[in-house]
């Protein structure tokens, strides 16, 4: 697509989402159990109309004529087919949810793509926007059914580049709803200039030195991960008393760091529970991308203050 005149000036893009209320109401939302009950009821009604049709064909009288009876039976059969399709859609969608959320998950039989969203008090859609911060023009957009913004940053960012043309001076910002370690990894690997707010900023280990033990003793508060410092060179955490936590377990998603001995630590009651003997920190395999983004976000906030 040819690049329009002046487009190259669009180099500060904010990505944001807004919820849109669906046309259908929340009373059309059904769980799988509720769909099963409705299917059972429809089949009973279909059976009744089939019997009434048979009786009329054999000469019996009915308050409705045969043509009307057949039309109503066919309507109920179409409705049964639609509900069965919605049930299949719901079962497929539930595979993507955590097990504890599946039984209560609903599908809207009138607008199956709409999802329940508290912000619109019913079924709705999530409109994703890429907005030029200078002109406030929308330069990319998409409507999705995902209730939250997780995983939506990359698709909109790619659409912006497609619509405007690539620009190595272009930068992006987004709120904490878009924070996702997988996306942060991809952004860094592609060298995309982006700053995404961190919902766990106060708990990131991004300081140069640990919080002093004197400060913690004075405040008498529980230690947080942000009181520790992670040393990438050496792959260990340093605690406020100078002890080191080294990796002891590792899998595809996380690494567990553990201290060798905490029994003589003056901060033990503020750091670990009475049931535990040593301090452990669980670190995501993508945590380094989160830490670097957190530093970029804090730096941007200082510049804007």
């Amino acid at each position: 697509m040819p690049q329009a005149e002046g487009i190259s000036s669009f180099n500060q893009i904010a990505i944001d989402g807004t919820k849109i209320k669906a046309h259908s109401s929340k009373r059309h939302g059904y769980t799988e159990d509720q769909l099963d009950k409705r299917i059972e009821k429809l089949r009973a009604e279909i059976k009744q109309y089939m019997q009434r049709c048979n009786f009329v064909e054999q000469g019996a009288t009915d308050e409705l004529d045969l043509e009307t009876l057949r039309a109503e039976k066919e309507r109920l059969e179409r409705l049964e087919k639609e509900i069965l399709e919605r049930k299949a859609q719901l079962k497929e969608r539930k595979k993507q949810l955590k097990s504890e959320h599946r039984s209560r998950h609903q599908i809207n039989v009138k607008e199956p793509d709409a999802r329940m969203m508290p912000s619109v008090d019913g079924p709705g859609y999530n409109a994703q926007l890429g907005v030029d911060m200078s002109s406030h023009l929308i330069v990319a957009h998409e409507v999705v059914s995902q209730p939250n913004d997780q995983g939506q940053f990359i698709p909109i960012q790619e659409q912006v580049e497609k619509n405007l043309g690539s620009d190595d001076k272009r930068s992006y910002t987004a709120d904490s709803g878009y924070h996702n370690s997988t996306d942060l990894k991809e952004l860094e690997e592609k060298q995309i200039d982006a700053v995404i707010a961190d919902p766990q900023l106060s708990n990131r280990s991004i300081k140069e030195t640990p919080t002093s033990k004197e400060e913690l003793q004075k405040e008498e508060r529980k230690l947080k991960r942000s009181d520790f410092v992670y040393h990438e060179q050496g792959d260990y955490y340093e605690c406020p008393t100078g002890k080191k936590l080294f990796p002891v377990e590792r899998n595809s998603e996380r690494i567990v760091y553990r201290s060798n001995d905490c029994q003589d630590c003056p901060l033990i009651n503020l750091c670990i529970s009475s049931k535990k003997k040593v301090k452990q920190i669980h670190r995501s395999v993508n945590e380094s991308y989160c830490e670097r983004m957190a530093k970029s976000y804090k730096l941007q906030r200082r510049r804007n203050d």
Side-chain angles (χ1 to χ4, degrees):
M1 186 176 93
Q3 186 164 304
E5 184 178 353
I7 285 293
S8 60
S9 63
F10 292 174
N11 57 14
Q12 288 186 309
I13 307 297
I15 294 179
D16 198 7
T18 185
K19 305 302 187 291
I20 303 172
K21 191 174 181 62
H23 177 72
S24 183
S25 71
K26 59 183 176 183
R27 67 186 179 88
H28 294 128
Y30 290 81
T31 64
E32 188 173 354
D33 287 343
Q34 290 169 333
L35 288 177
D36 284 337
K37 290 178 182 177
R38 190 168 183 192
I39 291 168
E40 184 180 354
K41 183 179 179 181
L42 282 169
R43 286 175 174 170
E45 291 179 11
I46 291 169
K47 185 177 180 180
Q48 290 176 359
Y49 274 93
M50 288 178 68
Q51 291 174 341
R52 290 171 69 179
C53 287
N54 290 335
F55 291 151
V56 171
E57 287 173 346
Q58 294 170 12
T61 59
D62 194 285
E63 59 182 299
L64 299 176
D65 59 56
L66 183 59
E67 185 178 346
T68 303
L69 288 170
R70 285 174 175 169
E72 181 61 15
K73 179 180 76 71
E74 291 171 359
R75 184 190 72 81
L76 292 171
E77 288 172 339
R78 289 194 299 272
L79 185 55
E80 179 199 13
K81 181 181 177 181
E82 180 182 318
I83 298 301
L84 286 170
E85 290 174 352
R86 297 292 177 261
K87 180 181 175 181
Q89 288 175 292
L90 178 60
K91 287 174 72 73
E92 191 63 30
R93 206 160 75 185
K94 285 166 67 173
K95 292 178 183 179
Q96 304 170 15
L97 303 176
K98 293 181 178 179
S99 58
E100 61 266 28
H101 297 153
R102 290 173 186 169
S103 62
R104 294 180 285 109
H105 191 61
Q106 296 183 346
I107 189 167
N108 190 287
V109 295
K110 298 296 183 183
E111 287 185 76
D113 289 336
R115 299 278 289 273
M116 291 297 294
M117 299 185 184
S119 58
V120 295
D121 191 29
Y125 303 94
N126 190 355
Q128 296 295 310
L129 306 172
V131 180
D132 174 57
M133 295 175 67
S134 177
S135 64
H136 304 294
L137 289 174
I138 296 173
V139 294
H141 63 86
E142 186 60 83
V143 177
V144 299
S145 58
Q146 185 69 24
N148 58 56
D149 296 326
Q150 286 283 305
Q152 302 303 323
F153 187 96
I154 298 293
I156 292 297
Q157 184 272 331
E158 290 177 343
Q159 191 183 136
V160 170
E161 296 299 311
K162 180 180 179 181
N163 292 345
L164 301 182
S166 298
D167 186 346
D168 57 10
K169 295 180 181 179
R170 186 170 294 129
S171 62
Y172 295 85
T173 60
D175 63 38
S176 60
Y178 292 88
H179 194 278
N180 178 291
S181 64
T182 303
D183 284 359
L184 299 188
K185 179 181 178 182
E186 184 173 347
L187 290 171
E188 188 170 313
E189 289 174 346
K190 291 182 176 179
Q191 298 184 323
I192 295 168
D193 185 358
V195 176
I196 301 177
D198 191 337
Q200 300 182 44
L201 183 64
S202 63
N203 205 30
R204 298 286 180 200
S205 299
I206 57 175
K207 296 189 296 186
E208 295 296 324
T209 58
T211 307
S212 72
K213 64 179 181 180
E214 291 78 17
E215 179 183 338
L216 291 167
Q217 288 172 325
K218 182 179 179 181
E219 294 179 359
E220 294 185 344
R221 64 168 174 83
K222 290 290 185 180
L223 273 70
K224 299 183 293 185
R225 182 186 296 199
S226 58
D227 294 315
F228 294 71
V229 170
Y230 176 69
H231 295 271
E232 190 168 2
Q233 187 174 1
D235 188 22
Y236 66 91
Y237 279 91
E238 180 185 356
C239 85
T241 63
K243 292 184 178 180
K244 298 178 180 180
L245 289 76
F246 291 101
V248 293
E249 296 177 28
R250 188 185 301 264
N251 60 33
S252 59
E253 295 182 353
R254 67 174 189 176
I255 308 165
V256 179
Y257 292 77
R258 185 181 299 154
S259 171
N260 291 326
D261 181 25
C262 296
Q263 295 308 301
D264 297 327
C265 178
L267 300 176
I268 188 169
N269 293 328
L270 300 176
C271 189
I272 59 178
S273 66
S274 58
K275 295 181 181 180
K276 297 180 180 179
K277 295 183 179 180
V278 291
K279 176 68 175 179
Q280 283 192 167
I281 293 179
H282 294 252
R283 180 180 176 86
S284 163
V285 294
N286 289 333
E287 182 70 16
S288 59
Y289 299 101
C290 298
E291 289 169 346
R292 285 191 284 273
M293 181 60 75
K295 290 178 180 178
S296 296
Y297 176 65
K298 290 191 74 172
L299 179 61
Q300 185 186 71
R301 283 206 313 186
R302 284 199 293 267
R303 287 173 178 170
N304 294 336
D305 288 344

